[in-house]
């Protein structure tokens, strides 16, 4: 009788975890260069009637070929100096901040929503971000998480609204591969820092004094949180400006950076403009966003061990013809079979998975065999 089932023991199983990465570049041509502006036919930027955020696509969003890249929005806490009753979209901006904060930062012991913390040390208190921009990357791009230490954002911080890249600020999560925080309900996050600026001459200057945080990056959630001070402190400054000195979030210089066609500054636009207007201003200042995503591939490997006296017959009805084994050349030949498929069954013999071999494998009483089956999930 053919042996058709064999129990897999614990020693016959092994588990592995593999991280796969893809490089994801998003350039300014997608954000504001190639396609029409929002509200115009053929735009890759989708605005919504609720006016809470923009969705950026890699192609005109009405096309079936379009892929969602990320959502862009802004918000501030009620304690912000920009939070006044006359502020345009005040309630919406405050609601956006609170919603993102409660998901990404959580609550304190009193049940109050925690603010975004600059240094990640929530228990110690310290400076908070109260006026921020959010980039929420689509799961299509970020997959299971953004790879730590791979994020780079380039922002234009001088020039007009239509020509915004006279000087470029580079923001990265350098060092996050070994230094990140786990005190968020949304998973792990790292600190975003300014690592270099590129003057209009084209020379890139790195600055060791750029040590202050300018934002947070939540890896599993795929959300970048950026302080508005990246525009109001660094905007239109030179590499030697005393207002830099690593004080990205506490500089006192007033920026002359123009965020829209009416030459509105970043502070004024965030305070008086609608969320749609703020999104348009920020989007035109993004030169490049790039990161590596991560796909976590978990595998269980089953070693299906076949002894010499097992599986030498087939239960397939076509194995016999007139009570004779078809694959035998003579009556004295040993029985022989050919493997084509391995099935994994539950304890009550329900078929759970099937593995196909690339070619039939010959099995007879003179051979032992181990078939390695990998189940990915």
């Amino acid at each position: 009788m053919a042996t058709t089932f064999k129990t897999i023991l614990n020693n016959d199983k092994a588990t592995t975890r593999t991280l796969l990465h893809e490089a994801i570049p998003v350039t300014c041509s997608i954000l504001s260069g190639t396609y029409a502006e929002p509200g115009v036919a053929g735009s890759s930027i989708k605005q919504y009637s609720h006016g809470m955020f923009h969705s950026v696509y890699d192609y005109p969003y009405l096309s079936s070929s379009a892929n969602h890249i990320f959502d862009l929005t802004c918000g501030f806490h009620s304690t912000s100096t920009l939070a006044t009753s006359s502020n345009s979209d005040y309630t919406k901006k405050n609601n956006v901040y609170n919603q993102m904060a409660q998901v990404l930062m959580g609550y304190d012991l009193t049940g109050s929503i925690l603010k975004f913390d600059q240094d990640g040390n929530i228990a110690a208190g310290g400076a908070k971000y109260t006026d921020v921009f959010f980039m929420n990357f689509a799961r299509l791009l970020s997959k299971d998480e953004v790879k730590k230490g791979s994020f780079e954002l380039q922002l234009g911080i001088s020039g007009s609204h239509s020509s915004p890249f006279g000087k470029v600020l580079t923001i990265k999560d350098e060092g996050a591969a070994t230094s990140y925080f786990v005190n968020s309900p949304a998973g792990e996050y790292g600190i975003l820092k300014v690592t270099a600026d590129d003057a209009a001459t084209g020379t890139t200057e790195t600055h060791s004094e750029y040590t202050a945080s300018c934002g947070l990056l939540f890896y599993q959630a795929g959300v970048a949180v950026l302080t508005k001070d990246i525009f109001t402190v660094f905007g239109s400054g030179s590499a030697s400006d005393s207002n830099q000195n690593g004080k990205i979030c506490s500089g006192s210089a007033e920026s002359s950076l123009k965020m829209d066609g009416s030459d509105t500054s970043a502070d004024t636009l965030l305070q008086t403009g609608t969320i749609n207007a703020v999104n348009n201003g920020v989007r035109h200042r993004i030169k490049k966003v790039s990161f590596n995503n991560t796909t976590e591939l978990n595998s269980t490997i089953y070693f299906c061990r076949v002894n010499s006296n097992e599986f030498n017959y087939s239960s397939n009805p076509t194995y016999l013809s007139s009570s004779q084994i078809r694959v035998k050349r003579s009556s004295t030949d040993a029985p022989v079979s050919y493997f084509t498929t391995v099935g994994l069954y539950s304890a009550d013999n329900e078929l759970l998975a099937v593995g196909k071999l690339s070619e039939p494998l010959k099995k007879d009483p003179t051979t032992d065999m181990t078939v390695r089956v990998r189940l990915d999930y």
Side-chain angles (χ1 to χ4, degrees), residues 5 7-8 344-352:
F5 294 97
T7 301
I8 296 177
L344 300 179
Y345 290 79
S346 65
D348 52 357
N349 290 340
E350 289 188 9
L351 182 62
L352 302 178

Side-chain angles (χ1 to χ4, degrees), residues 31 81 83 120-121 123 159 178 223 226 236 263 273 278 297-298 324 329-330 332 337 343-344 346 362 370:
L31 296 171
T81 57
N121 191 349
T178 57
V223 179
L226 301 167
S236 298
D263 289 343
V278 176
L297 189 63
N298 294 284
Q324 298 293 319
R329 289 188 295 273
S330 67
T332 59
S337 62
L344 300 179
S346 65
K362 184 179 179 179
T370 299

Side-chain angles (χ1 to χ4, degrees), residues 231-294:
F231 295 123
T232 59
V233 174
F234 278 93
S236 298
S238 66
S240 60
D241 279 350
S242 59
N243 66 334
Q244 294 177 359
N245 292 328
K247 297 180 179 179
I248 300 173
C249 304
S250 59
S252 59
E254 187 67 28
S255 171
S256 59
L257 186 67
K258 309 307 178 186
M259 297 293 289
D260 63 7
S262 301
D263 289 343
T264 307
S265 68
D267 265 354
T268 302
L269 186 62
L270 187 57
Q271 184 174 29
T272 64
T274 63
I275 292 180
N276 284 339
V278 176
N279 290 343
N280 286 332
V282 174
R283 181 169 48 81
H284 274 268
R285 291 285 170 181
I286 300 175
K287 184 176 184 181
K288 176 187 175 183
V289 184
S290 64
F291 59 87
N292 291 346
N293 65 21
T294 301

